[in-house]
Amino acid sequence: MLLPFFLRSLEAAMIFTFAGLGELVNQRSGVLNVGIEGMMLFGATVGFIVAQSSGSYVAGFLAGAAVGLLLGLLHAFFSITLRVDQVVSGMGIWIFGFGVTTYLGAPHAGPLGMERLQTLFGISPFVYVAVALTLVTWFVLQRTSLGLALRAAGETPAVAEVSGINVTRLRYLATAFGGLMGGFAGALYALYYNPVWNYNFIMGWGFISLALVFFSMWNPVVLFGGAVLFGLLWQLSLNPELLAVGVLSRYLWRTTPFIATMLILVVISTGWFRRRWGAARPQALGQPYIKE
Amino acid sequence: MDTDLWANIQPGEELLAARGITKRFANGVLANDHVDFDIRAQEVHALLGENGAGKTTLMNILFGYLQPDEGQIYLRGRPVRFNSPQDALRHGIGMVHQYRKLVPAHTVLENIILGHPKARGVINERRAAEEIAALAESYGFRIDLKAYVWQLTEGERQVVEIIKALYRGAHILIMDEPTSALTPTETEQLLQAIERMTSSNLGVVPFITHKLPVVLRISHRVSILRRGRIVATLKTAETNERELARLLVGRDVIFDVKKPPQEPGEPVLELQNVSALSDKGTPALRDVSFTLREGQILGIAGVLGNGQHELAEVIAGLRPVESGRILFRGQDITRAPVLERWRMGIGYTPAERTEVGSIPDFSLVENVALNHFWDRQYVRSGFLDYGRLRSLTRNILDEFKVVAAGPEARGKTLSGGNLQKVIMGRVLARKPRLLVANLPAQGLDIGAIEFVQQQLLAARSQGTAIILISEDLDEILMLSDIIAPMYEGQIMALLKAEEADRETVGTLIAGGQVRRSAG
Amino acid sequence: MKVGSRRIGFVRRDTISGWQAFLISTVSVIVGLIVFSLVFVVSDVSPLTAYREIFGYAFLSPSGFRLVLNRFIFLALCTFAFLIPYRAGLWNIGMTGQVYMGGLAAYGVVYLLGGKTNPNLEVSAWLVLPAMIAAAAAAGALWAAIAGFLKDRWDVNEIVVTMMLNFVGSFIVSHMTKEGGPFMNRGGGSEGFPLPTSLRAPVFADIPFTALFVAVLAVALHLLFTRSSLGFQIRAFGMSPRAAQYAGIRTHRMGLLVFLLGGAIAGLAAYHQFAAVPGVYKIPRDYEIVGDTAFFGIICGLIAQGNALASLPVALLFAAASIGGRAAQGKLHLAFGLDFALMGVLMIVLVGFQFLYRYRLAFRAVGVETPPAGAEAAAEARGRGSEA
């Protein structure tokens, strides 16, 4: 009873992790992407349709990741090249994703109808990939010249530029990565975790991932911890009988991950956290870089 | 990098030569007009020029930010063209910026290796640290590579920039206002470091606005840039301060702002043991106490970052007081909200003119309204009287000789000096009893500086008590009735203007001890 | 980009006139509609036919136009709910949740009076309708105030919070109206109980009196932001919180203020949608689709650049697209969500156009550069200019 619950929670966590790592790298380069929900919706819906019509999971995942990548590039083009306010661009991508996928997916509403993907020791192999990617991301950010340059671009882009770093290229790269990860996370959601297309079925996971990145204070390892926490919470909200039987309606239980998201944002904003980790915020986050 | 380029340098050899550099901007401004300039090995060749003389343009051309319309740059006789700062860097030109180009959240080591062609892929921190330490050692620099840049003093940050340039293989070091943010002690250390650097075949080009003693002390040659042209290149040993000043300005001119004697009136502001924290939560103000009277100017002298900013914000109500009391005309305002202070007659002109003092996307009328939107004169039953605000704005534009398209122009279309005039005019229109002027003349050109200073004296003669925060000792000495040197959040002494001299104040702002004069 | 001896570049605009803003917004909508034609082309429908269907139904058929006007009232109110915080630099994307809470509160009043069990309830509409409206506005305001309070107190990201509140609100509606929830229709079906006939909002020519909310609020908001001291303070805060704080504006209450105002208007939208639109008069089973329609408010507010009056024609256009789109869906055998797709495409086109509010195309001779930014460069330019 408990073991499947934990395994399932880990599978939810891997989706938060992929989406969150993309957003984390994105933000470390100085570009905020509040439209990750839209990228996930796109990745999920396109991945779902492609897999269903081609009968190939691989095609579905590739399509989901590819559409995410394109949206990432679009966000980069808007916010880096055109210098549109990053929040406006992100909001645009979210509404774009929400609107268009509602229309695209509607004829495909219902279950995927494919044999379920194989598991490895009871969980999706992608869980292990998520763990590995977390460590790799940490290593790249902290121990390589690429990571150093990326962090510098997010802190003080003008300084990075005079040090010989092409901030624009780096931010494009990071934003494309963010989109790729968001699209892939969406595809994973739709092709494995919850393979039933439904109206707006990403259910705010993109926004929760965004909150997890703030919570992580831009540290991939902490992000993974937060993802596991939310995986557990999400599963618990679907199975309240594990904790309490018959108390409150199942609908009220489902509000808990969303309330927890808000609580976590409050907690990390209180003085105690601000003093300790406040300096971690990329100083140029949200600001377009304009070459002198 | 082109390694051959810098092999076998002979002392005194010409390293870089700029010939006939001309740069014209789209608006027709001729910023550099056939500039000739060269730098030799083991030499410090200072470039002296006022704001607006074309200094920044020349510097940007030498460092690859801008490309000249005409003229040619030669490195050891070979013609070169820099397409970008990186390009200049690859050719051995290093730049030490006035406003440090460092990442505060990163360590010294990370800053030095950032973007270095050798640091590709996985970073070998130990090897890099060893190399950098050896390099720093050879020039006599001491620096903790593991420290975060935000923890460093301004002087230490400059050292980091110098080491970064040298580690990149710079043979020519361009330094923008090298002594501007340094304490006298740090300045002394820098001058020694420059001497050591020049003894090893480097060329150093400091760009300096008007610190003539520094020029005389460190340079071997000096070129004076005026209105885009090099008006003279002299051997430093054969010139003097007066000649340089004349060449710099083009006429015999000295600041001529006269402070008339005046009897101070009633106490206006009293601080009693006020302490406050910085944005980072560290102590920024420690036990600050003083009394300021009507018609007095209190000059807060010091190197930026020693609590002046926090002092201004505490008085304006923008920063909470940790302990102590603030009295305004006898009334305790320690916890009074900002608006109440404005109503009581406390005016503040912030140093951050575009971030705090004005709203770039607002029209000038709206920017003026920032200090009047609550005043019954300008509000009727909740609605702003834009007619009156517009005529007030027009008056300010006329009286302060602001160059602007009109009251509806956006704040961002104004130059720094004109914006400062609008802010000053708007605050002075309130006829404040107390004015806190935070770096009022910083970054302005000479005309605007004089104007702002005269406005401060005019307000003083009408009985306004003024707190003047400035990094410029001459300005402080010229305008203040009482001088308060600040160091690490403390007021080191309260000196009467008659008793203060450059040396005493200079020692006190560097944390030095002097015989205590006035209490 | 080079063309002959000229270079096409972008130059930052210092100011933009109302006329220019209007032009850019109009062009962005037209381009959006053109881009959206692709959807029809892919579905093998002629775009012209499709748009004729959509806007023909919306504006030319009397039944369609009535629906459009009702939808317009809802969207205009949601737009106002968005744009008050927007003028303060804050994003309210929680109109959906605020609408849910407003709807529940309005029906809560009816529930307390026994309206659930007695569809022929005899009460004075003069007393109960104002109570329903007030309850809806208060509930929307309080729900939104959570985001405002958290923003003020701890600087919590209001985008995430309002979005989370949408989901929480949605589940609360499910809890109340489904699976035996207190507001569930007695006749079964997962929807709210119907409004007693006596409590239906007054209707004039098929248009509920809630149209007055739109008219009054549009003028009020316009005056607020162009004339009033409060509106000036909100705008100052939106452009520069630090400058606002310096000027003595009560910045530590600003989030609460604008979210209370915005949420209250979203509550009014809820009252209109669930208790005033002829033919609805209940919280329907597919309340989520209705709730998410509130997102149109974001795009209307953005196209109108935060201007309440300018947002009215935009809201009307989207109301027409929304109602006409639903109708065309069936007729042209297109999938569900055509209107949402249009919203998405217009939104992304609009984002691209944002650029033009701040930059304009310019032609310059090759090789001429503008002086670099910075005080000294400006000083340099002036110094040399006066000499010449």
Side-chain angles (χ1 to χ4, degrees), chain C:
Chain C
M1 204 192 305
K2 260 189 200 173
V3 177
S5 65
R6 320 235 90 190
R7 184 200 298 259
I8 303 179
F10 290 105
V11 177
R12 196 174 257 279
R13 287 180 197 268
D14 288 324
T15 47
I16 183 163
S17 67
W19 187 83
Q20 284 167 320
F22 169 77
L23 192 72
I24 296 170
S25 293
T26 310
V27 172
S28 76
V29 170
I30 293 169
V31 170
L33 289 174
I34 294 170
V35 171
F36 191 69
S37 305
L38 282 177
V39 172
F40 298 121
V41 173
V42 168
S43 311
D44 227 7
V45 175
S46 145
L48 275 181
T49 317
Y51 282 128
R52 205 179 299 132
E53 276 302 325
I54 292 175
F55 291 109
Y57 179 75
F59 288 122
L60 299 179
S61 81
S63 59
F65 191 58
R66 272 197 298 276
L67 290 174
V68 168
L69 285 180
N70 275 307
R71 179 55 54 90
F72 162 71
I73 294 169
F74 180 71
L75 292 188
L77 292 174
C78 289
T79 305
F80 298 159
F82 169 76
L83 65 77
I84 296 175
Y86 181 67
R87 293 304 282 264
L90 301 176
W91 287 80
N92 179 14
I93 61 167
M95 292 89 78
T96 303
Q98 292 143 28
V99 162
Y100 295 151
M101 288 301 130
L104 288 179
Y107 276 88
V109 171
V110 183
Y111 178 80
L112 290 177
L113 294 171
K116 178 186 175 186
T117 44
N118 180 8
N120 302 315
L121 188 69
E122 286 300 325
V123 283
S124 159
W126 288 105
L127 288 178
V128 179
L129 291 193
M132 286 174 72
I133 294 166
L142 289 176
W143 197 244
I146 296 173
F149 172 76
L150 295 180
K151 184 77 196 173
D152 288 340
R153 184 71 183 77
W154 289 295
D155 197 21
V156 177
N157 184 304
E158 79 283 2
I159 295 177
V160 178
V161 170
T162 48
M163 194 67 201
M164 292 299 113
L165 287 171
N166 286 343
F167 287 107
V168 174
S170 173
F171 281 117
I172 292 178
V173 176
S174 281
H175 168 78
M176 296 301 279
T177 61
K178 296 181 184 204
E179 295 185 11
F183 287 8
M184 196 176 87
N185 193 341
R186 282 194 306 161
S190 296
E191 58 180 22
F193 64 86
L195 190 68
T197 326
S198 60
L199 291 179
R200 291 183 177 179
V203 172
F204 308 96
D206 283 334
I207 302 305
F209 79 103
T210 42
L212 287 176
F213 294 167
V214 176
V216 171
L217 282 169
V219 175
L221 290 183
H222 183 73
L223 289 177
L224 176 75
F225 287 122
T226 54
R227 296 274 139 210
S228 78
S229 173
L230 180 67
F232 172 79
Q233 296 174 48
I234 293 175
R235 287 195 298 128
F237 178 81
M239 299 229 181
S240 172
R242 289 182 69 198
Q245 192 198 8
Y246 152 80
I249 292 167
R250 264 182 281 235
T251 50
H252 60 290
R253 291 270 177 278
M254 194 56 85
L256 194 62
L257 173 76
V258 294
F259 271 97
L260 276 172
L261 289 174
I265 297 178
L268 295 180
Y271 171 78
H272 163 77
Q273 181 63 36
F274 297 126
V277 174
V280 179
Y281 299 129
K282 69 181 172 215
I283 298 177
R285 168 204 291 275
D286 62 347
Y287 67 89
E288 278 182 305
I289 311 274
V290 177
D292 289 346
T293 308
F295 291 140
F296 276 111
I298 300 173
I299 178 168
C300 292
L302 289 178
I303 292 180
Q305 294 280 290
N307 180 323
L309 290 183
S311 74
L312 294 180
V314 189
L316 184 65
L317 177 79
F318 278 102
S322 171
I323 295 296
R326 295 269 159 91
Q329 238 162 252
K331 210 159 181 184
L332 303 172
H333 307 291
L334 295 167
F336 164 78
L338 192 64
D339 56 335
F340 283 150
L342 177 65
M343 168 166 82
V345 170
L346 276 175
M347 182 77 188
I348 208 78
V349 170
L350 176 71
V351 171
F353 269 77
Q354 287 288 310
F355 174 74
L356 290 176
Y357 291 106
R358 289 177 300 112
Y359 294 86
R360 62 186 171 77
L361 273 172
F363 298 88
R364 287 177 304 208
V366 168
V368 177
E369 291 165 64
T370 45
E376 200 194 323
E380 216 163 276
R382 272 196 319 286
R384 300 286 304 167
S386 58
E387 188 198 13

Side-chain angles (χ1 to χ4, degrees), chain B residues 23 26 29-30 54 56-57 227 342 348 352 355-356 366 370 373 382-384 386 410 412 415 426 445, chain C residues 14-15 226-229 232-233 235 239-240 242-243 246-249 368-369 371 376 380-382 384 387:
Chain B
K23 182 75 192 174
V29 170
L30 191 58
T56 305
T57 305
R227 295 180 170 173
W342 280 106
Y348 175 42
E352 314 96 317
E355 296 86 29
V356 179
E366 290 170 315
L370 280 175
F373 68 89
F383 288 90
L384 288 176
Y386 275 102
R410 305 282 124 185
K412 64 186 171 191
S415 71
R426 165 188 95 190
D445 52 75
Chain C
D14 288 324
T15 47
T226 54
R227 296 274 139 210
S228 78
S229 173
F232 172 79
Q233 296 174 48
R235 287 195 298 128
M239 299 229 181
S240 172
R242 289 182 69 198
Y246 152 80
I249 292 167
V368 177
E369 291 165 64
E376 200 194 323
E380 216 163 276
R382 272 196 319 286
R384 300 286 304 167
E387 188 198 13

Side-chain angles (χ1 to χ4, degrees), chain B residues 24-38:
Chain B
R24 188 187 292 275
F25 287 119
N27 50 8
V29 170
L30 191 58
N32 280 178
D33 185 3
H34 295 91
V35 168
D36 289 327
F37 181 80
D38 59 69

Side-chain angles (χ1 to χ4, degrees), chain A residues 4-5 37 48 58-59 62 69 78 105 184 206 216 226 255 267 271:
Chain A
F5 168 78
E37 177 93 358
F48 189 92
V58 176
L62 286 179
L69 178 73
F78 284 150
F184 178 72
S216 77
T255 63
V267 168

